[in-house]
């Protein structure tokens, strides 16, 4: 799984951080998404998929690596 | 014929007697049989109503819709909100790119880690109010003694309202959210609060602390990026959006749990904070208290759920039926604190999804994780049919909730 985030689209709702804190964080200056890992551990895939589905800004894209 | 019948229906619709926690039956029927349909509004205008989960999410992420209340055809909620919108434009009424600029001035303050750092303060506020409740008369009104002061005191902490001003702040906050009152009265309260907040911005600029108003005073006011009035307006938005909403969730959530004792004990006896967090998501989904729903206007022609909508027509995205859509939630009318409800749209969806949601979540987690544990014998002091709900308020809730223990 390959994860990309769109920081321009991000609205800082923080839901990805709540669901998958090992993969997503928020930038201290403005709360915008920061990717901690673009190829997360398979154990995290289900959470990452949920975070992408829930994101209100459609800012998380998943592709097969 | 169908069109004529649909036109005659008023939004909002009445809830069924004896089912105060469920959406109005006519709304559920529409969601099932006629998911995008016309409704009539308080001022005689009409709008489209979008009721299903997938359609609501598609609509709220569509760049062809607008939240600009000045657009002709915008479906205003009521006379008070129309008057307030005309007087005061906040980021809730701005489209991108203006909205993005304004929202990003606040997103850092509501970051998950920033709000998590407030959890001990919120716990202290909740414990203090429960101490006072237990020391006071029994039975008591949980709305006045607990549901209203929790978010009000938390917002004071967040904004940096000094202790000496908190009684004033709570009074004005209460007047501001009187839904069925005179618009002029609410506007006067709004003006009183704006004047107070402007003066507070000056004080924060002179002596900054660790709070939202201080940060805005230093970063935006001192640099000339924002005026005092603009910062005051932002502070007022945070109050309006974060006070009555959370207060209603606390009161209504407590009432629905008291009516579902097995669900309540699952929360009370949970040793795991994740269970309480999951329960909060389910309560948000099940109750969907923002029952005046998300209002938009079409900037261009578009098609939603197969229904063409013309430029300039008003649209209401109905989150309460989306949150009861069987395509998104199995057995949607059952309250089940163990289900995964995190994909609900109680906070809205799209660029305008609630900015304060991390704060609301932590407040509700602390409240529901503490209240029943500290008062295990908490019980309604009157039968449910004697409770007074708020069918015509901007946010659904309870006027009072007499409880005993």
């Amino acid at each position: 799984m390959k994860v990309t985030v769109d920081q321009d689209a991000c609205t800082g709702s923080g839901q990805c951080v709540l669901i998958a804190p090992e993969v997503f964080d928020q930038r201290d200056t403005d709360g915008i998404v920061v990717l901690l890992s673009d190829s997360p551990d398979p154990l995290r895939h289900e959470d990452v998929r949920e975070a992408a589905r829930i994101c209100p800004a459609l800012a998380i894209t998943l592709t097969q690596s | 014929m169908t069109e004529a019948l649909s036109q005659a229906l008023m939004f909002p619709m009445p809830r069924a007697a004896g089912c105060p926690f469920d959406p109005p039956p006519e709304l559920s029927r529409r969601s099932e049989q006629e998911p995008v349909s016309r409704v009539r509004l308080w001022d005689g205008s009409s709008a489209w109503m979008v009721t299903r989960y997938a359609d609501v999410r598609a609509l709220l992420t569509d760049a062809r819709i607008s939240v600009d209340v000045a657009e002709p055809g915008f479906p205003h909620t009521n006379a008070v909100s129309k008057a307030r919108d005309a007087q005061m434009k906040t980021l809730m009424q701005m489209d991108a790119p203006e909205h993005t600029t304004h929202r990003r001035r606040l997103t850092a303050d509501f970051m998950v880690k920033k709000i998590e750092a407030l959890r001990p303060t919120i716990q202290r506020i909740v414990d203090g109010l429960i101490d006072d409740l237990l020391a006071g008369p029994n039975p008591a009104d949980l709305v006045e003694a607990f549901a209203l002061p929790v978010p009000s005191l938390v917002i004071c902490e967040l904004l940096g309202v000094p202790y000496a001003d908190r009684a004033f702040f709570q009074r004005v906050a209460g007047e501001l959210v009187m839904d069925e009152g005179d618009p002029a009265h609410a506007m006067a309260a709004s003006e009183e609060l704006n004047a107070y907040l402007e003066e507070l911005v000056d004080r924060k600029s002179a002596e900054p602390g660790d709070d939202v108003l201080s940060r805005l005073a230093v970063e935006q006011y001192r640099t000339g990026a924002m005026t005092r009035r603009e910062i005051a307006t932002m502070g007022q938005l945070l109050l309006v959006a974060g006070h009555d909403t959370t207060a209603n969730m606390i009161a209504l959530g407590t009432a629905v749990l008291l009516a579902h004792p097995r669900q309540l004990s699952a929360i009370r006896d949970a040793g795991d904070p994740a269970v309480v967090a999951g329960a909060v998501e389910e309560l948000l989904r099940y109750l969907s208290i923002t029952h005046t729903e998300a209002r938009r206007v079409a900037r261009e022609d578009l098609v939603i759920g197969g229904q063409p909508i013309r430029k300039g027509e008003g649209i209401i995205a109905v989150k309460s039926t989306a949150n009861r859509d069987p395509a998104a939630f199995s057995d949607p009318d059952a309250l089940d604190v163990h289900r995964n409800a995190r994909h609900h749209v109680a906070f809205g969806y799209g660029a305008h999804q609630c900015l304060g949601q991390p704060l609301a979540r932590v407040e509700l987690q602390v409240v529901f994780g503490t209240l029943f544990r500290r008062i295990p014998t908490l019980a309604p002091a009157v039968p449910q049919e004697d409770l007074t709900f708020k069918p015509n308020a901007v946010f659904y809730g309870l006027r009072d909730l007499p409880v005993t223990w």
Side-chain angles (χ1 to χ4, degrees), chain B residues 58-282:
Chain B
L59 176 74
L60 294 177
T61 46
D62 195 311
R64 293 169 295 180
I65 60 157
S66 171
V67 293
D68 189 346
V69 292
E71 285 280 322
F74 187 90
H76 292 277
T77 301
N78 57 31
V80 177
S81 76
K82 189 177 182 179
R84 188 182 290 158
D85 286 346
Q87 179 208 38
M88 187 172 93
K89 187 177 183 183
T90 71
L91 61 100
M92 287 175 83
Q93 291 91 33
M94 294 173 190
D95 293 321
E98 189 187 15
H99 170 256
T100 316
T101 309
H102 281 251
R103 182 170 170 122
R104 286 193 178 197
R105 286 176 182 157
L106 286 171
T107 36
D109 296 304
F110 291 94
M111 273 196 291
V112 170
K113 55 194 158 201
K114 191 102 186 177
I115 296 303
E116 271 305 323
L118 266 181
R119 191 183 284 267
T121 304
I122 296 171
Q123 184 71 56
R124 203 179 61 237
I125 288 170
V126 166
D127 277 324
L129 288 165
I130 293 176
D131 291 342
D132 295 347
L133 179 71
L134 292 172
N138 179 359
D141 174 16
L142 196 80
V143 171
E144 201 190 324
F146 188 66
L148 283 168
V150 167
S152 163
L153 291 171
V154 170
I155 293 166
C156 284
E157 287 285 340
L158 190 82
L159 289 180
V161 174
Y163 282 97
D165 300 342
R166 290 193 178 177
F168 160 82
F169 192 82
Q170 274 179 282
R171 175 182 65 78
V172 179
E175 287 174 12
L176 208 58
V177 296
M178 286 209 319
D179 298 286
E180 287 139 338
D182 176 7
H185 189 76
M187 303 254 294
S190 165
E191 196 42 50
E192 196 179 354
L193 184 64
N194 260 340
Y196 168 75
L197 287 171
E198 280 195 51
E199 187 257 330
L200 191 55
V201 169
D202 268 338
R203 282 198 266 162
K204 297 289 181 185
S205 179
E207 265 183 83
D210 181 22
D211 53 66
V212 173
L213 283 182
S214 292
R215 198 185 51 70
L216 290 171
V218 172
E219 294 175 14
Q220 307 288 339
Y221 175 53
R222 280 190 194 165
T223 61
M226 286 175 85
T227 63
R228 286 192 319 169
R229 168 60 51 143
E230 283 172 322
I231 296 174
T233 301
M234 217 173 226
Q236 184 161 156
L237 168 68
L238 297 182
L239 173 67
V240 169
H243 179 240
D244 205 21
T245 45
T246 312
N248 283 309
M249 267 309 296
I250 293 171
L252 211 54
T254 304
V256 79
L257 287 168
L258 289 172
H260 293 76
R262 281 174 55 198
Q263 303 285 321
L264 187 150
S265 50
I267 296 175
R268 185 190 55 214
D269 304 336
D272 182 1
V275 173
V276 177
V280 164
E281 301 305 316
E282 172 65 350

Side-chain angles (χ1 to χ4, degrees), chain A residues 7-15 17-19 25-32 50 53-56 58, chain B residues 57 61 100 103-104 107-108 110-113 116 281 340 342-343 349-355 357-358 361:
Chain A
Q7 291 182 323
D8 293 334
C10 175
T11 57
S13 77
Q15 299 203 81
V17 178
L18 289 173
I19 293 169
D25 195 3
Q26 285 172 289
R27 204 156 59 190
D28 285 342
T29 48
D30 57 7
I32 295 307
E50 187 183 358
R53 241 187 350 260
I54 287 178
C55 174
L58 311 175
Chain B
R57 295 212 332 168
T61 46
T100 316
R103 182 170 170 122
R104 286 193 178 197
T107 36
F110 291 94
M111 273 196 291
V112 170
K113 55 194 158 201
E116 271 305 323
E281 301 305 316
N340 179 358
R342 291 196 286 208
H343 54 297
Y349 198 66
H352 288 273
Q353 193 184 54
C354 178
L355 172 71
Q357 59 183 292
R361 285 194 165 98

Side-chain angles (χ1 to χ4, degrees), chain A residues 39-53:
Chain A
S39 318
D41 186 294
L43 286 171
R44 308 280 173 224
H45 286 189
E46 203 183 317
D47 288 342
V48 173
R49 273 193 286 272
E50 187 183 358
R53 241 187 350 260

